Amino acid sequence: EIVLTQSPGTLSLSPGERATLSCRASQSVSSSNLVWYQQRPGQAPRLLIYGASSRATGIPDRFSGSGSGTDFTLTISRLETEDFAVYYCQLYDSSFSYTFGQGTKLEIK
Amino acid sequence: EVQLLESGGDLVQPGGSLRLSCAASGFTFSTFAIAWVRQAPEKGLEWVSIISGSGGIIYYADSVKGRFTISRDNSKNTVYLQMDNLRAEDTAVYYCAKGKASTRFDYWGQGTLVTVSS
């Protein structure tokens, strides 16, 4: 079973700053199967990035994803107040199972 | 507009049963997989189960295999999750989510709370 480890656990930044969130897989994975979600307090998750680097419909271009192999990154170029939330990476295992990372909480400094 | 609406969450005793429903609209229901994903209080996301558009392909997480059963009624645009032999660790908000290209979930419901406690 592949494990996804996200870091840091909590990231404290100010609006306007750049955020860099990491997701590391315990073994090499296909970037096609790596996804990022945003979850605001009291809300359901929202799809942000799929295929490691493709933005989902309606997602602002300040959100970008990158990476390959075992190391993936979600970058938010200029933080806005609505971006402070919890972010999860997710992997699709071709044996039809889905694994989530433990999440990174992005909080206002 | 794609909408997913969960219902059926409740307080249930350990060992009890519950059936959740997920009513969908705004897309061609029978052509998309639907998954259940849960979130324990103050915890992260955990995938539970998925069912293909036709209902012919079903998978479960090891943590629920043998206790939970997913099904769908395409005439009613609804997916169900039958949960038996519930345990305290099944306490969570249960979300249903629309599958996309096997790899991701592009729309989510608002969730329904299941509490397992005596």
Side-chain angles (χ1 to χ4, degrees):
Chain A
E1 178 188 341
I2 300 174
V3 176
L4 298 179
T5 302
Q6 293 187 240
S7 62
T10 301
L11 184 59
S12 300
L13 294 170
S14 300
E17 290 193 296
R18 180 185 185 92
T20 302
L21 288 67
S22 173
C23 176
R24 177 164 291 178
S26 57
Q27 63 189 75
S28 184
V29 301
S30 170
S31 59
S32 298
N33 296 340
L34 197 285
V35 180
W36 290 92
Y37 299 91
Q38 176 195 66
Q39 187 177 32
R40 295 171 175 150
Q43 296 187 14
R46 177 174 72 142
L47 176 65
L48 289 179
I49 300 287
Y50 64 93
S53 60
S54 297
R55 275 188 301 277
T57 303
I59 301 304
D61 61 7
R62 65 179 181 274
F63 290 90
S64 63
S66 63
S68 64
T70 60
D71 292 309
F72 298 88
T73 300
L74 174 69
T75 301
I76 311 171
S77 58
R78 295 171 309 278
L79 285 166
E80 300 193 5
T81 53
E82 63 262 31
D83 299 336
F84 291 92
V86 179
Y87 292 84
Y88 294 95
C89 57
Q90 174 242 300
L91 176 70
Y92 164 64
D93 183 321
S94 56
S95 64
F96 256 104
S97 69
Y98 301 83
T99 301
F100 290 90
Q102 83 279 18
T104 290
K105 181 179 182 180
L106 179 56
E107 66 177 22
I108 298 178
K109 187 174 181 180
Chain B
E1 179 190 7
V2 173
Q3 290 190 337
L4 299 164
L5 182 62
E6 303 93 338
S7 61
D10 204 347
L11 171 63
V12 60
Q13 291 188 339
S17 297
L18 207 57
R19 189 177 84 156
L20 306 183
S21 299
C22 170
S25 61
F27 62 99
T28 306
F29 183 72
S30 62
T31 61
F32 290 95
I34 299 292
W36 288 96
V37 177
R38 67 185 180 184
Q39 186 169 35
E42 305 304 316
K43 299 294 185 183
L45 301 169
E46 180 190 15
W47 169 73
V48 172
S49 182
I50 191 166
I51 185 167
S52 65
S54 67
I57 300 173
I58 288 172
Y59 292 94
Y60 300 97
D62 288 343
S63 58
V64 305
K65 202 171 293 183
R67 300 187 299 122
F68 289 13
T69 303
I70 193 171
S71 62
R72 67 191 294 158
D73 184 340
N74 285 347
S75 69
K76 296 182 178 179
N77 282 14
T78 302
V79 169
Y80 305 97
L81 187 68
Q82 176 67 40
M83 304 185 295
D84 297 319
N85 191 19
L86 283 160
R87 306 167 180 167
E89 54 265 34
D90 296 319
T91 293
V93 173
Y94 284 72
Y95 296 100
C96 63
K98 173 181 167 287
K100 178 76 172 180
S102 298
T103 61
R104 60 195 184 266
F105 309 119
D106 58 350
Y107 291 93
W108 298 62
Q110 284 305 301
T112 187
L113 176 62
V114 173
T115 304
V116 184
S117 175
S118 54

